[in-house]
Amino acid sequence: MPESTSNIIAECRGRVGLVTLNRPQAHNALSLDMVRDLTAALLAWRDDPAVLAVAIRGQRKGRDGEAPAVPFGVFSAGGDIRYFHRAALAGDPTLEDFFTEEYTLNHLVHTYPKLTIAFMDGLVYGGGMGISQGASVRVVTPGTRIAMPETHIGLFPDVGGGWFLSRCPGRWGEYLALTGREIGGAEAVRIGLADSMVDAAQLPGLWDTLASAELASGAQASQLFASSMIANNDHLTGDDGKIDSYFALESVSAIVQALEADTSDWARETAALLRLRSPLMLAVALEQVRRGRSMDLADTLRMERDMMRHCFHTAHLGRSGTSSETVEGIRALVIDKDRQPHWQPQRIEDVTPDMVVPFFRSPWPPHAHPLRFLA
């Protein structure tokens, strides 16, 4: 029988552990309880010889939001940023726990010793990327919408984003990190953020086949997908050359100024989008991705844990709580929805290295770092 909490359904069918993210009213945004429940299930199945593979999916609201939830359609819209806002203003210590435990979960997925399959249908944002990018098989559909949109809210692409974005071809990592733009399933396959694409109508059958098959090994589970999944490259943007040219420049200021000097619609729209973001956090995100290229996953997650502490307690700028870029960004985009964030500084050209570099200094000594045990 499935084991169900309010937001996670975990069950074993055959020799496969199955997880359904079950918070459709919030597009499966990850709460601390969800992170804990998912971690507990994965640890139990990791140590259970009867379990050969693990699969994870989300589900969406039923018709008119009142019918029973429908499997697939939304994977996860990321972390619960409304909770981040409340916790930051209240000084709630569980906010620290959330990021430590979420990043530990991300590492667990990446290093899991058994076959893992992520059914990345619908929205796959932020924290949803964190629990899917480490899967052995990442399945997308034509309706998949992938993004790391953290710069929208004065944050940076965390959950290992510095690792997996930096490993995209060319300068796609910088482009996705800074702009927060969505890409579709086909493009995700092309740039290495997914493995295969299938039609959404195939997902229930693949899920049921995996659960009902008489499996003798994880390899057999992998073979079930081989004949069904293709790398469909239709409807791609074809912007690789432009992305590589502009997003290889040395700073955010140089990138934006070069884009603004270009008369093409793509360049001007991209520059205008970047002008809306937090200038400070754009510079931080650019540095994050570039550092991540030469780091392993565990060190990247430790770096991001340091950065996240500084996002809510930017001591070197004398800012925390409501004055932090992140709390202000969430307020403007999600809470008050006035879409008028008061970024500090307001202009990209006014960001200095002294504002950026301290984000990468750990507030903990190595022996006390909350992610010191990751390897």
Side-chain angles (χ1 to χ4, degrees), residues 240-364:
D240 297 59
K242 291 185 287 188
I243 287 170
D244 291 351
S245 175
Y246 290 114
F247 285 83
L249 296 174
E250 69 274 12
S251 67
V252 177
S253 180
I255 291 169
V256 171
Q257 289 176 18
L259 287 167
E260 288 175 336
D262 187 329
T263 59
S264 72
D265 289 343
W266 179 89
R268 291 189 172 184
E269 289 169 4
T270 301
L273 185 154
L274 292 174
R275 289 287 186 189
L276 296 175
R277 308 291 185 247
S278 159
L280 174 59
M281 297 314 297
L282 286 178
V284 169
L286 182 64
E287 181 71 12
Q288 171 206 3
V289 171
R290 292 182 173 173
R291 289 187 182 220
R293 276 201 179 92
S294 60
M295 300 171 73
D296 65 21
L297 174 66
D299 284 340
T300 302
L301 288 167
R302 278 187 280 268
M303 174 182 74
E304 293 177 2
R305 186 64 187 87
D306 298 340
M307 295 167 65
M308 191 60 75
R309 165 64 75 86
H310 292 307
C311 282
F312 289 96
H313 304 283
T314 317
H316 69 281
L317 296 176
R319 294 159 59 185
S320 62
T322 56
S323 66
S324 75
E325 294 292 273
T326 304
V327 173
E328 170 61 11
I330 297 173
R331 180 208 65 77
L333 275 296
V334 179
I335 305 300
D336 295 341
K337 299 182 180 179
D338 59 28
R339 297 191 174 275
Q340 297 293 323
H342 302 291
W343 303 129
Q344 301 179 57
Q346 294 183 344
R347 297 174 68 249
I348 287 171
E349 290 80 3
D350 294 336
V351 177
T352 68
D354 287 345
M355 297 175 183
V356 175
V357 171
F359 278 86
F360 299 90
R361 294 176 185 152
S362 182
W364 300 280

Side-chain angles (χ1 to χ4, degrees), residues 58-70:
Q59 57 183 359
R60 59 181 172 82
K61 291 190 293 187
R63 184 172 297 176
D64 300 323
E66 297 178 356
V70 179

Side-chain angles (χ1 to χ4, degrees), residues 15-16 52-54 115 117 137 210 213 215-226 229:
R15 304 196 66 181
V16 179
L52 297 177
V54 173
L115 175 73
I117 304 163
V137 182
L210 182 65
L215 301 173
S217 68
Q220 273 190 291
S222 292
Q223 292 167 5
L224 289 176
F225 291 86
M229 297 188 292

